[in-house]
Amino acid sequence: MTDPGQRPRRGQGELEALVLSALREADGPATAGWVQERLGGDLAYTTVITILTRLLGKGAVTRERVGRSFAWTPASDQAGLAARKMRKVLDAESDRGAVLASFITGLGPDEEQLLRQLLEQAQGEGDD
């Protein structure tokens, strides 16, 4: 049972999403201290550093040395991160055809049409 004055714990994925969201709002590379302030200061500085380091390991952020610390930048936009996750799942499976077939079966008509258009567009670009 949790203490009535205590906030419920957030999951790791939720914290990573909050940190990435804060980084996307920055005008450029941002320090961990800036991210901490942007999130209202309710996360410890060391927690922000831990989350940023995990995101770096996942390829979701990049960092550059600025003085004695680092400035952090999202590696790609939200769509790029989702695509990277999808690619990671696909690469981990031995039967890629089955995974893709299952994915396509779950698409709605509008999504299926969009996928067809994107595939045609990509094929057209490959012909150049």
Side-chain angles (χ1 to χ4, degrees):
M1 185 156 174
T2 60
D3 181 359
Q6 187 178 9
R7 286 186 311 241
R9 286 182 53 102
R10 291 180 279 211
Q12 176 181 328
E14 183 180 350
L15 291 175
E16 289 178 356
L18 287 170
V19 168
L20 275 173
S21 177
L23 282 176
R24 282 192 196 94
E25 294 173 7
D27 292 332
T31 64
W34 183 91
V35 172
Q36 180 190 27
E37 288 177 22
R38 188 71 176 181
L39 296 176
D42 63 337
L43 290 178
Y45 179 81
T46 54
T47 301
V48 174
I49 290 291
T50 298
I51 294 166
L52 287 166
T53 303
R54 286 181 182 156
L55 289 169
L56 180 66
K58 293 178 179 182
V61 299
T62 60
R63 70 179 181 189
E64 60 187 65
R65 174 109 17 218
V66 177
R68 294 183 352 193
S69 62
F70 291 102
W72 305 81
T73 307
S76 61
D77 60 8
Q78 195 71 9
L81 289 174
R84 186 181 326 224
K85 288 178 187 177
M86 292 167 64
R87 183 73 209 187
K88 189 174 181 178
V89 168
L90 187 59
D91 287 346
E93 295 298 324
S94 59
D95 190 351
R96 291 178 175 193
V99 173
L100 289 170
S102 180
F103 176 75
I104 291 169
T105 302
L107 295 177
D110 292 343
E111 295 165 327
E112 184 179 335
Q113 181 61 33
L114 177 59
L115 180 58
R116 286 181 194 281
Q117 290 171 353
L118 292 170
L119 287 171
E120 289 171 6
Q121 180 182 1
Q123 185 177 17
E125 290 173 3
D127 293 341
D128 292 342

